[in-house]
Amino acid sequence: MSKRRVAYYYDNDVGLFSYGLGHPMKPHRIRMTHDLVSAYGMLDKMHVLRPRRASPENMTAFHTDEYIHFLSRVSPETAEEMTYHGSRFLVGEDNPAFEGVFEFCSISAGGSIDAARRVSLGAADIAINWAGGLHHAKKREASGFCYVNDIVLAILELLRTFPRVLYIDIDCHHGDGVEEAFYTTDRVLTCSFHKFGEYFPGTGHVDDHGRDKGVGYAVNVPFRDGLTDAAFKGVFEPVVERILDWFQPSAVVLQCGADSLSGDKLGCFNLTMEGHANSVQYLRKSGLPLILLGGGGYTIKNVSRAWAYETACALNVEETIDRNLPWNAYFEWFGPRYRLEVAENNMDDLNPKDGYLESIKEQVFKQMSALPF
Ligand code: ZLM
Ligand code: CA
Ligand code: ZN
């Protein structure tokens, strides 16, 4: 069980895309992660694969033909007239029609679909795509920096082989696009941990737990600002343990959004690298087929630290890794300490105050215990 076969999907072109000047989402962080993974000598320990690019047909397994047709043709030059004449597929500054947007989406989605195929075939125990995890994209529109929902596409691929898939989302934002896609089915259980209250996208209330056949198969764990490692672990582990026992998934998809780390530009939690990676370690120990995806993460030197460390966790070599960063192409970005660490800061943790943490845990458990075992 300790040595798992790991497949790692990476396309060298992904870091070259740009959402535009000043946009917080920076595809370059995927390349920085890869450089760290490479500098640590981890590439030799896994199957390194370049994903096939997802085709429009692959994408319409979830999205509408009209939306994907639009996305495959839109460019910075034509965005305005296409939006003016057609329906509004892209909304505002969050989702610009940047140069190469469709190619970027086909790399991101291609990696997640290939990861799902490889795990389905039994050719890998863990498959990683740090360019995936774009959980807000909807069937017929882009949302929150996400255009194509690579996660939904990967889960649909897994459902061809596996009876039940568990989706866990530790991005600071609610995983609304994935939840919505599987809200009425009992074959996919979605579980998102997120900041809730005056925060994008506004969904993910603890009471939202699925509809029709899907009642009980959506789990939402809303947090307040300042979430620390201990508070997170104290909710994550019992909730996920209960889900594993009850749902008995045949495969797990973990969205490792890194905006839940301390010091993130858009996030408001206070997790260290180890506190974040505990989720990866916990699910690795379950022994279930596992897909690790990226997601948010806007303080990019910390994103690359966390995802490089989580790659080491997948390989079960995190104990042996040198906490002084090896020389790499972006070494100067990691000063002044040049360490593999994301430290907590002194922000106040509002979660343990006036019994909030206990009450959230209780509400989540209450919903789960109302279900037939
Ligand atoms: N305005 N530029 C998380 C997705 C979060 C919606 C408020 C846009 C920003 C943000 C874009 C340079 C994931 C909202 C924000 C300004 C309406 C959000 C472009 C700064 C900038 O400087 C910026 C021109 C931009 C966007 C901040 N947007 C911060 N937060 C959220 C979306 C995605 O991490 O979960 C997964 C990848 N949007 O709050 C507004 C309501 C648009
Ligand atoms: Ca989340
Ligand atoms: Zn996020």
Side-chain angles (χ1 to χ4, degrees), residues 135 171-173 259 296 298:
H135 59 180
D171 190 290
C172 191
H173 298 91
D259 48 7
Y298 307 99

Side-chain angles (χ1 to χ4, degrees), residues 231-245:
F232 180 49
K233 186 183 167 116
V235 178
F236 180 91
E237 291 192 355
V239 167
V240 174
E241 184 188 41
R242 178 78 222 274
I243 290 172
L244 292 175
D245 281 352

Side-chain angles (χ1 to χ4, degrees), residues 81-109:
E81 57 173 313
M82 288 182 76
T83 309
Y84 183 80
H85 291 293
S87 17
R88 282 158 46 95
F89 295 114
L90 305 180
V91 184
E93 285 183 298
D94 277 353
N95 290 84
F98 62 84
E99 191 70 57
V101 60
F102 184 78
E103 198 184 351
F104 172 76
C105 294
S106 67
I107 294 171
S108 163

Side-chain angles (χ1 to χ4, degrees), residues 135 169-175 191-194 255:
H135 59 180
D169 184 317
I170 63 167
D171 190 290
C172 191
H173 298 91
H174 177 231
C191 175
S192 176
F193 299 84
H194 48 268
Q255 195 267 21

